[in-house]
Amino acid sequence: MNVLVVGGAGYIGSHTAKTLKRAGHNPVVLDNLSTGHRWAVRWGPLVEADLADKKAILQAIRDHQIEAVIHFAANAYVGESMQNPAKYFRNNVANMLNLLEAQHESGVKRIVFSSSCTTYGIPERVPISEDFPQSAISPYGESKLMGEKMLKWFGECYGLGWVALRYFNASGADPEGEIGEVHDPETHLIPLVIDAALGKRPPVRIFGTDYPTPDGTAIRDYIHVMDLADAHVRALQYLLEGGESTAFNLGTGHGHSVREVIAAVERVGGRKVPAEEAPRRAGDPPALVADPSKAHRILGWEAQYRELNQIVETAWRFAENRKQ
Ligand code: UDP
């Protein structure tokens, strides 16, 4: 199938393009390269275009006989979204609307959408299942929630078939080392800890040591990017087979604290990680852990990288060899 991978030059999009190709599909990447990388587009053509430009989307759909869409393109910094909410609503909501309209106008009836566990805000308890209330606490989280709502109504009104995948903490890198996580600025814990260990960045700051968790640091569910990529291919297949539009949580179901991540990097790298304690980062919930049983039940999906060490090993290898 010819699949338009919107935002396919980015972290999760590029890993999904690779996995799509391996599964026998043709990924066509549409990306404005604002945060993505040309070097990460290796498994099909790149259409350099912005979602603000609906004509360009329609043209790409026509030129490449697109049959389905996977939509990754978004701004994804919670902190930045608090400083500049308009950017998030424009890029993540208004521009997504162009994509949905272009799909409607050209009869492309299926979409898999990158959503996020941030749509749950601060959950009452963990693990989080899909029926938990969604009440985002940042413009970023809200923009993802609005994306889900647009899908729902395009489904109701026009018969669009959709799957929203609510990622927990995407992490790790392609085990073959071809692609990996490169953000600028980098705000994610695992690459920052690894770079601190490699002496490429200053000591990592542990944001909050007074959380109500066993070691006082915040807990997250780190899910390998190849497992996420696999879930997208399954979600596409599910839609093709007539599966009902719905949302899935993607996580391992196990949480790890910031200190546990640092310890894992020390084990994998065989060296001490320079770290210092710092105040909590605004808007960070104490614990986010997925209940991934719905994705298992319906998509047959399950994380293959179950150990934090395995995730860190792939990220370490990529960071060590990275030239970009
Ligand atoms: N974190 C940290 N120091 C950093 C970056 C992150 O202690 O330099 C913590 C952060 O507070 C959170 C966890 O690591 O509890 C994961 O943060 P990340 O930014 O990777 O992902 P998020 O959960 O915000 O999507």
Side-chain angles (χ1 to χ4, degrees):
M1 189 163 42
N2 299 328
V3 184
L4 191 66
V5 185
V6 181
Y11 174 41
I12 307 170
S14 60
H15 288 78
T16 301
K18 179 168 180 171
T19 305
L20 279 169
K21 188 75 187 173
R22 196 156 279 175
H25 299 296
N26 301 315
V28 175
V29 169
L30 186 141
D31 202 298
N32 66 3
L33 299 180
S34 63
T35 56
H37 311 283
R38 197 180 293 278
W39 53 259
V41 183
R42 306 173 56 151
W43 294 279
L46 168 66
V47 178
E48 208 177 322
D50 196 293
L51 286 186
D53 183 354
K54 197 170 97 183
K55 278 201 187 124
I57 308 169
L58 284 165
Q59 183 79 38
I61 289 175
R62 253 196 318 272
D63 288 351
H64 297 277
Q65 293 165 11
I66 294 300
E67 299 162 83
V69 170
I70 307 185
H71 176 39
F72 296 95
N75 293 113
Y77 294 120
V78 170
E80 183 190 49
S81 80
M82 299 294 286
Q83 307 296 321
N84 190 355
K87 176 174 177 181
Y88 280 71
F89 293 118
R90 182 164 299 111
N91 289 342
N92 296 2
V93 183
N95 288 349
M96 176 173 169
L97 189 56
N98 285 336
L99 175 64
L100 296 182
E101 278 192 301
Q103 280 192 238
H104 175 55
E105 285 168 28
S106 44
V108 179
K109 289 276 184 205
R110 295 177 189 94
I111 183 169
V112 178
F113 172 58
S114 298
S115 189
S116 164
C117 65
T118 57
T119 58
Y120 295 112
I122 300 177
E124 266 172 25
R125 56 184 196 283
V126 292
I128 301 168
S129 55
E130 290 80 358
D131 53 4
F132 271 40
Q134 287 175 294
S135 53
I137 55 165
S138 69
Y140 167 66
E142 194 77 84
S143 72
K144 287 289 169 184
L145 192 48
M146 290 166 86
E148 289 196 11
K149 297 224 158 124
M150 291 194 293
L151 292 177
K152 173 183 171 238
W153 289 110
F154 270 69
E156 297 275 336
C157 304
Y158 296 142
L160 180 71
W162 56 271
V163 165
L165 298 176
R166 297 182 188 146
Y167 313 151
F168 282 64
N169 285 62
S171 47
D174 168 25
E176 290 163 1
E178 291 186 289
I179 42 178
E181 184 171 14
V182 181
H183 292 116
D184 184 19
E186 187 55 78
T187 61
H188 291 134
L189 182 65
I190 292 178
L192 290 176
V193 174
I194 291 175
D195 281 359
L198 291 169
K200 292 184 180 177
R201 286 184 201 266
V204 67
R205 291 189 301 152
I206 301 171
F207 293 147
T209 52
D210 59 348
Y211 282 105
T213 59
D215 69 16
T217 65
I219 290 176
R220 294 289 179 274
D221 184 336
Y222 294 92
I223 177 75
H224 198 279
V225 66
M226 294 307 284
D227 282 325
L228 291 180
D230 172 44
H232 288 78
V233 179
R234 286 174 189 264
L236 204 60
Q237 201 61 41
Y238 164 82
L239 284 174
L240 277 182
E241 288 162 7
E244 211 176 289
S245 297
T246 192
F248 296 100
N249 284 342
L250 298 180
T252 62
H254 301 285
H256 295 285
S257 72
V258 174
R259 289 199 201 281
E260 285 172 349
V261 169
I262 293 174
V265 171
E266 290 181 336
R267 271 196 308 276
V268 168
R271 62 184 90 173
K272 192 96 192 109
V273 173
E276 54 195 43
E277 297 186 358
R280 292 183 183 195
R281 190 170 63 178
D284 274 349
L288 292 173
V289 180
D291 171 354
S293 54
K294 182 177 171 186
H296 184 49
R297 206 172 53 246
I298 296 178
L299 300 179
W301 176 85
E302 185 169 46
Q304 300 301 306
Y305 292 80
R306 305 194 68 79
E307 303 298 325
L308 187 56
N309 266 21
Q310 297 176 291
I311 293 178
V312 169
E313 271 162 22
T314 60
W316 179 279
R317 222 174 307 138
F318 179 72
E320 217 177 17
N321 299 326
R322 188 174 87 210
K323 284 168 207 76
Q324 291 86 9

